Amino acid sequence: MRAILLMFLLLAALGHGALADEAGSAGKPGLPISVELPVRVRVALRVLNVLEIKEVSGQGRLHLELTQRWHDPRLVFDAVARGLAREDRVGDEADEYLKTIWSPGLSLDNQIGEKDSRTVALSVHASGEAVLIERFESDFRFRMSMDAFPFDRQNLTIGLSLPRYAQQEAVVLTTEEERSFSGIENSLSVVDWRPVGLRFSNTLVMGWNARSYSRLDVTVTIARYAERYLLRVFIPIIAVLAVSLFVLWSPGLKEQDKGGLIFSSLLALAAISFTFESSFPGSISLNTPVAEMISLGYLYLVAVLLFEIVLSVAVANPHFRWNHEAAALRLHLRWAMPAIMLIICLGAAIRALPT
């Protein structure tokens, strides 16, 4: 039993040593020495452009500028002897030099694929501070909601973490200095969206080895230009539903003509829903105010036809006992049903407005 226990202890020690020397065996130094742990990796993020937004699939393409700062005493040099206070490297030279020094290995957790159009610059100050700046385009996966379309705001959250180092070894954070370099450009390539703001939040994630890791969430908030959708979305729906007013108030209209108008309106609503879904993906298939209006529109048009035909027959029949009450009810429903439908549609739109 003691031999088995000693063997397990030996294997654990060997495994720990292998993990500790993994970077060194690859020719890359380990964590900075003679510094207080955890090593602080300060991050700034600028959103240079939002190139594409896919609400249904929850994906977006962003052009980012990511800045990382950390301190490593092994990078200190004599500024007087070298005649400069900072060494700058760009492109391939910077990538090659990064292989010879310690770097945080910052990971973009929700990134899809590789970085495109990447440019990199590395500056090493005489004090031992390293500044790594990367500009690139990449696809990301986000959690998006279409519940408020077309009055929605989308929070595009990018998760930054250090998967190689636990929280006790290195943390990723942002300070006021980094926040001053962060932000989002005012003009975006996605024409129907406008930037709102950028915010940071620190969280902890649990790794597969039951160790906690530092994570920095950067949330980019963009809002849709709702006024650009009023004519394209709501006016066609209102125009189709307005046929009910003609059916309710037109004198001398026969029942078969009323039925033809209502069924034509139902077909028009169906055509509008297919058109909206192809033009604005997710506007009908997801739970949006537009989808609610069209769904209620089907019920409203059918109810108008049923009430109008039934009450018209009751009023026209002199042998019907309550024909006077039916006439009064018909008169009230002529304005009550469109008013109720209008209130419901306005309520669905107002409820979706951003607070």
Side-chain angles (χ1 to χ4, degrees), residues 77-94:
F77 61 88
D78 189 350
V80 177
R82 295 195 184 184
L84 46 85
R86 186 186 69 193
E87 292 183 344
D88 297 326
R89 296 173 176 83
V90 182
D92 294 337
E93 183 183 2

Side-chain angles (χ1 to χ4, degrees), residues 13 42-43 49 126 133 172 177 199 227 247 253 255 265 321:
R42 297 177 295 166
V43 171
N49 203 352
I133 302 177
V172 55
E177 182 181 0
R199 68 177 185 270
E227 58 273 13
V247 172
L253 195 66
E255 282 72 13
S265 300
R321 182 177 179 180

Side-chain angles (χ1 to χ4, degrees), residues 166-180:
Q167 180 192 7
Q168 296 79 9
E169 299 171 337
V171 294
V172 55
L173 51 86
T174 183
T175 64
E176 290 301 324
E177 182 181 0
E178 275 67 42
R179 291 174 188 265
S180 63

Side-chain angles (χ1 to χ4, degrees), residues 248-249 311 325-339:
L248 291 171
W249 290 94
L311 294 178
E325 289 79 1
L329 179 60
R330 181 187 181 192
L331 180 62
H332 288 295
L333 287 178
R334 282 183 172 181
W335 62 266
M337 293 187 67

Side-chain angles (χ1 to χ4, degrees), residues 33-79:
I33 57 177
S34 302
V35 297
E36 181 183 359
L37 293 181
V39 177
R40 291 167 175 79
V41 181
R42 297 177 295 166
V43 171
L45 183 68
R46 288 181 57 208
V47 181
L48 304 177
N49 203 352
V50 179
L51 303 173
E52 187 179 14
I53 293 294
K54 299 178 181 178
E55 298 94 329
V56 178
S57 59
Q59 296 182 13
R61 186 169 183 83
L62 277 62
H63 186 198
L64 304 176
E65 180 182 273
L66 180 62
T67 302
Q68 306 174 52
R69 299 172 184 265
W70 68 90
H71 181 74
D72 190 344
R74 293 170 294 189
L75 301 178
V76 175
F77 61 88
D78 189 350

